[in-house]
Amino acid sequence: MTSKRGILFALLASLIVNGALIGLFVGHRMAGEDRRAMHGMTRQLLRDEPSEFAKPMRNAMEAHRSEMRIAFRQIRSARRDMFKILKMPEVTTDELNQALAQIREAEMNLKKVSHQVLAEVLPQMPVEQRLHFAKADMMRRHGGDAHGGERPKAGRL
């Protein structure tokens, strides 16, 4: 009788542990894209910044985490809707325009939240650092070197 109880207890413990692991895995996968996107955005913003401004930037982003997560989910949902439309046998211009408008709106919402974070952090920086940040951001968006180098010409590597 004791060995049956031991086996039953081991089976029950195994089920509980496996259930917890599956729950953690599913939870991680469901929130993973948002978390990775936010982490990437934080890393990109802080890449060229000195350490004294990294902490305020992280704190500001942490304060707006839920808003940013919602914005990332809206973008993902709008893009999924666009792909559903693109997979349809026949698509109208109005359907495409509406789907593209939803993507634009979601992206603008994310920019709004990102700009709120910057509005909280940039005033704490000295003028030179703000200008360096703006220049680095512009170069990231348009290519080239943030430290004054030129962008590569078309057709040249």
Side-chain angles (χ1 to χ4, degrees):
M1 208 60 167
T2 309
S3 65
K4 285 184 180 182
R5 274 194 174 163
I7 291 173
L8 184 61
F9 178 73
L11 179 62
L12 185 59
S14 174
L15 287 173
I16 291 171
V17 169
N18 286 331
L21 289 174
I22 290 171
L24 286 172
F25 176 75
V26 169
H28 179 73
R29 294 297 292 169
M30 289 180 73
E33 289 181 34
D34 301 334
R35 189 179 316 118
R36 283 190 298 273
M38 288 175 59
H39 179 69
M41 191 167 132
T42 304
R43 190 171 7 133
Q44 183 179 7
L45 286 172
L46 299 177
R47 180 177 49 199
D48 297 327
E49 299 310 311
S51 60
E52 68 262 18
F53 299 115
K55 184 172 176 138
M57 184 71 80
R58 276 192 192 95
N59 291 341
M61 290 185 84
E62 182 72 26
H64 294 280
R65 176 188 289 180
S66 64
E67 295 170 65
M68 293 179 86
R69 187 171 283 146
I70 290 168
F72 279 117
R73 286 180 182 153
Q74 288 173 342
I75 289 173
R76 190 173 61 223
S77 174
R79 288 179 180 163
R80 284 182 183 154
D81 291 346
M82 171 61 96
F83 284 115
K84 286 179 187 174
I85 290 171
L86 292 174
K87 289 178 182 179
M88 293 173 29
E90 293 186 24
V91 179
T92 66
T93 304
D94 290 338
E95 291 171 327
L96 287 174
N97 282 332
Q98 186 177 9
L100 289 168
Q102 288 176 341
I103 291 173
R104 270 193 312 275
E105 184 179 329
E107 289 175 347
M108 289 304 292
N109 188 33
L110 177 61
K111 283 184 180 184
K112 177 183 172 187
V113 175
S114 300
H115 292 166
Q116 288 172 341
V117 169
L118 292 174
E120 292 175 17
V121 176
L122 290 177
Q124 301 170 24
M125 295 181 178
V127 173
E128 306 83 37
Q129 193 63 35
R130 288 191 300 247
L131 292 175
H132 176 76
F133 179 85
K135 187 176 180 181
D137 182 60
M138 186 172 62
M139 291 297 171
R140 273 193 296 269
R141 292 177 192 278
H142 301 291
D145 181 9
H147 304 290
E150 290 186 19
R151 293 181 359 189
K153 302 280 187 227
R156 295 169 80 192
L157 295 177

